[in-house]
Amino acid sequence: MPGYADVQELARGGNDRVVISLHAATGQYVAIKYLNEELSTSPAFCTAFRQEAKLLSDLNSPHVTRLYEYVEAPQGAAIVMELVAGAALRALLRQAGRTEPEAALMRQRRTLRARSAG
């Protein structure tokens, strides 16, 4: 990604990977979510990734990471967003084990409240 230097990979999934990157011009650390290269040629995956970026741009909540920019180029697509300190949900579940249904519902409730705040 021009103007950014990848520092550390945070997560990797079937559709994307997320890395901590340093913005050269400002010295600010950000999170960049890259659409996997294999999927960048799929119109359906590109559309879904673009819609995710649009959703982030429409939300304004202290509970949701802020979108800084969305980049689409022949090399692929990327969502540049605010870097939020904390543990990944997968790591929390690995450490604490399965959650009770009530705890899972509370987590989902917070997520839905954050999405409706936009």
Side-chain angles (χ1 to χ4, degrees):
M1 197 50 199
Y4 295 90
D6 290 349
V7 176
Q8 176 186 350
E9 185 171 287
L10 287 176
R12 180 179 292 271
N15 298 336
D16 51 49
R17 67 186 177 94
V18 179
V19 298
I20 297 174
S21 295
L22 180 64
H23 186 238
T26 63
Q28 180 177 7
Y29 287 95
V30 298
I32 302 181
K33 183 183 222 181
Y34 293 100
L35 181 62
N36 283 348
E37 287 181 38
E38 304 84 39
L39 301 177
S40 65
T41 59
S42 164
F45 278 100
C46 288
T47 298
F49 203 65
R50 198 176 304 117
Q51 288 172 338
E52 180 180 344
K54 174 74 171 113
L55 176 66
L56 278 176
S57 72
D58 291 343
L59 293 174
N60 182 17
S61 168
H63 306 290
V64 178
T65 186
R66 289 184 296 149
L67 173 81
Y68 290 139
E69 67 177 309
Y70 174 73
V71 177
E72 214 172 288
Q75 299 85 359
I79 297 172
V80 181
M81 58 194 138
E82 175 183 22
L83 177 64
V84 178
L89 178 58
R90 183 173 291 141
L92 292 173
L93 291 175
R94 196 177 303 124
Q95 178 184 11
R98 290 185 61 165
T99 61
E100 293 299 316
E102 293 81 12
L105 285 171
M106 290 301 293
R107 182 174 293 125
Q108 184 66 20
R109 184 175 161 207
R110 287 193 300 267
T111 301
L112 291 171
R113 186 179 300 138
R115 285 187 172 197
S116 69

